[in-house]
Amino acid sequence: MNPPISENARTEIAPQKRGWIFYDGDCKYCRGLARRFQNTFEPRGFHFVAFQTPWVARETNLPAGERPSEMRVRTCDGRDFGGADAVVFLAGFVCWGKPLRWFATLPGATVFLHRVYRGIAARRSCYDGACELRRA
Protein backbone atom coordinates (compact mmCIF):
# COMPACT_ATOMS: atom_id res chain seq x y z
CA MET A 1 0.00 0.00 0.00
CA ASN A 2 1.29 3.43 -0.90
CA PRO A 3 1.40 6.24 1.61
CA PRO A 4 -0.86 9.15 0.64
CA ILE A 5 0.71 12.32 -0.67
CA SER A 6 0.99 14.76 2.20
CA GLU A 7 -0.67 18.17 2.11
CA ASN A 8 2.75 19.86 1.93
CA ALA A 9 3.60 17.78 -1.12
CA ARG A 10 0.29 18.62 -2.76
CA THR A 11 1.03 22.34 -2.53
CA GLU A 12 4.27 21.83 -4.46
CA ILE A 13 2.28 21.78 -7.71
CA ALA A 14 -1.01 23.20 -8.90
CA PRO A 15 -4.19 21.20 -8.09
CA GLN A 16 -4.96 20.51 -11.78
CA LYS A 17 -1.81 18.41 -12.09
CA ARG A 18 -1.96 14.65 -12.57
CA GLY A 19 1.03 13.64 -10.46
CA TRP A 20 4.76 13.33 -10.05
CA ILE A 21 7.55 11.50 -11.80
CA PHE A 22 10.25 10.58 -9.28
CA TYR A 23 13.76 10.03 -10.62
CA ASP A 24 17.26 9.54 -9.18
CA GLY A 25 18.64 13.05 -8.89
CA ASP A 26 22.14 11.67 -8.16
CA CYS A 27 22.26 9.91 -11.54
CA LYS A 28 23.54 11.90 -14.53
CA TYR A 29 21.61 9.67 -16.96
CA CYS A 30 18.36 10.04 -14.99
CA ARG A 31 18.74 13.83 -14.73
CA GLY A 32 19.29 13.96 -18.49
CA LEU A 33 16.14 11.96 -19.18
CA ALA A 34 14.14 14.15 -16.79
CA ARG A 35 15.34 17.27 -18.62
CA ARG A 36 14.65 15.68 -22.01
CA PHE A 37 11.07 14.67 -21.14
CA GLN A 38 10.14 17.64 -18.96
CA ASN A 39 8.66 19.57 -21.89
CA THR A 40 6.66 16.48 -22.87
CA PHE A 41 5.13 15.52 -19.53
CA GLU A 42 4.88 18.72 -17.48
CA PRO A 43 2.28 20.24 -19.86
CA ARG A 44 0.38 16.98 -19.45
CA GLY A 45 0.28 17.41 -15.69
CA PHE A 46 3.32 15.46 -14.45
CA HIS A 47 5.98 17.22 -12.41
CA PHE A 48 9.52 15.78 -12.27
CA VAL A 49 10.97 15.59 -8.75
CA ALA A 50 14.15 13.88 -7.58
CA PHE A 51 13.87 11.08 -5.02
CA GLN A 52 16.41 13.04 -2.96
CA THR A 53 13.88 15.85 -2.37
CA PRO A 54 12.98 15.54 1.35
CA TRP A 55 9.21 15.16 0.92
CA VAL A 56 9.68 12.56 -1.84
CA ALA A 57 12.08 10.53 0.29
CA ARG A 58 9.46 10.54 3.07
CA GLU A 59 6.57 9.70 0.72
CA THR A 60 8.42 6.81 -0.91
CA ASN A 61 10.07 5.54 2.29
CA LEU A 62 13.48 5.64 0.62
CA PRO A 63 16.15 5.06 3.31
CA ALA A 64 18.73 7.85 3.58
CA GLY A 65 21.69 7.28 1.30
CA GLU A 66 20.00 4.49 -0.68
CA ARG A 67 19.65 4.88 -4.43
CA PRO A 68 16.26 4.09 -5.95
CA SER A 69 16.22 1.06 -8.21
CA GLU A 70 13.63 2.49 -10.60
CA MET A 71 11.75 5.65 -11.50
CA ARG A 72 8.26 5.96 -10.06
CA VAL A 73 5.08 7.77 -11.04
CA ARG A 74 2.67 8.80 -8.29
CA THR A 75 -0.69 10.16 -9.39
CA CYS A 76 -2.65 12.75 -7.45
CA ASP A 77 -5.30 10.11 -6.76
CA GLY A 78 -2.69 7.86 -5.07
CA ARG A 79 -1.87 5.35 -7.80
CA ASP A 80 1.77 4.32 -7.93
CA PHE A 81 3.71 2.86 -10.87
CA GLY A 82 7.34 1.85 -10.96
CA GLY A 83 9.90 1.02 -13.62
CA ALA A 84 8.50 -0.42 -16.84
CA ASP A 85 4.93 -0.05 -15.54
CA ALA A 86 5.57 3.69 -15.08
CA VAL A 87 6.93 4.00 -18.62
CA VAL A 88 3.90 2.20 -20.06
CA PHE A 89 1.54 4.34 -17.96
CA LEU A 90 3.18 7.57 -19.15
CA ALA A 91 3.16 6.34 -22.77
CA GLY A 92 -0.61 6.68 -22.72
CA PHE A 93 -0.32 10.46 -22.45
CA VAL A 94 1.57 11.02 -25.71
CA CYS A 95 0.52 10.02 -29.23
CA TRP A 96 3.90 8.44 -30.01
CA GLY A 97 3.59 6.29 -26.87
CA LYS A 98 0.38 4.55 -27.92
CA PRO A 99 2.22 1.72 -29.75
CA LEU A 100 4.09 0.90 -26.53
CA ARG A 101 0.78 0.75 -24.65
CA TRP A 102 -0.56 -1.60 -27.31
CA PHE A 103 2.61 -3.74 -27.25
CA ALA A 104 2.32 -4.08 -23.46
CA THR A 105 -1.03 -5.84 -23.90
CA LEU A 106 0.51 -8.70 -25.88
CA PRO A 107 1.22 -12.00 -24.09
CA GLY A 108 4.73 -11.93 -22.60
CA ALA A 109 5.33 -8.27 -23.46
CA THR A 110 5.32 -7.02 -19.88
CA VAL A 111 7.91 -9.64 -18.90
CA PHE A 112 10.07 -8.43 -21.79
CA LEU A 113 9.56 -4.74 -20.91
CA HIS A 114 10.44 -5.35 -17.24
CA ARG A 115 13.60 -7.21 -18.25
CA VAL A 116 14.67 -4.41 -20.61
CA TYR A 117 13.90 -1.73 -18.01
CA ARG A 118 15.86 -3.57 -15.28
CA GLY A 119 18.82 -3.96 -17.64
CA ILE A 120 18.91 -0.25 -18.45
CA ALA A 121 18.37 0.78 -14.82
CA ALA A 122 21.17 -1.51 -13.63
CA ARG A 123 23.60 0.16 -16.04
CA ARG A 124 22.33 3.74 -15.81
CA SER A 125 25.50 5.00 -14.11
CA CYS A 126 27.58 3.69 -17.00
CA TYR A 127 26.08 5.95 -19.63
CA ASP A 128 27.98 9.00 -20.88
CA GLY A 129 31.31 7.52 -19.74
CA ALA A 130 30.40 7.64 -16.04
CA CYS A 131 32.00 4.22 -15.60
CA GLU A 132 33.69 1.60 -17.70
CA LEU A 133 32.23 -1.84 -18.25
CA ARG A 134 34.66 -4.73 -18.20
CA ARG A 135 35.14 -6.29 -21.57
CA ALA A 136 34.75 -10.06 -21.72
Side-chain angles (χ1 to χ4, degrees):
M1 178 147 180
N2 300 317
I5 298 290
S6 69
E7 287 307 311
N8 289 340
R10 289 186 192 281
T11 61
E12 295 275 333
I13 62 174
Q16 71 273 16
K17 296 290 186 175
R18 288 188 168 114
W20 300 264
I21 301 170
F22 303 140
Y23 67 95
D24 184 357
D26 290 337
C27 169
K28 181 179 179 180
Y29 179 71
C30 301
R31 288 191 314 268
L33 286 175
R35 277 192 303 276
R36 179 177 296 158
F37 287 103
Q38 188 172 12
N39 290 336
T40 300
F41 290 105
E42 289 207 351
R44 289 168 173 83
F46 292 97
H47 185 68
F48 283 85
V49 187
F51 275 103
Q52 292 77 10
T53 304
W55 71 264
V56 175
R58 283 190 308 272
E59 291 288 336
T60 59
N61 297 320
L62 184 67
E66 186 173 314
R67 289 187 69 182
S69 60
E70 62 184 15
M71 63 162 296
R72 297 205 72 77
V73 172
R74 177 81 56 91
T75 64
C76 290
D77 63 7
R79 292 177 292 157
D80 191 53
F81 303 92
D85 295 329
V87 173
V88 171
F89 172 76
L90 290 171
F93 292 92
V94 290
C95 62
W96 45 264
K98 304 287 185 196
L100 179 61
R101 296 273 303 210
W102 172 83
F103 177 75
T105 66
L106 298 176
T110 56
V111 171
F112 173 75
L113 291 171
H114 283 267
R115 189 172 295 146
V116 168
Y117 184 92
R118 283 192 306 270
I120 293 170
R123 293 169 187 81
R124 69 184 187 262
S125 296
C126 297
Y127 291 95
D128 296 327
C131 75
E132 298 229 351
L133 295 174
R134 293 184 184 182
R135 294 183 186 194

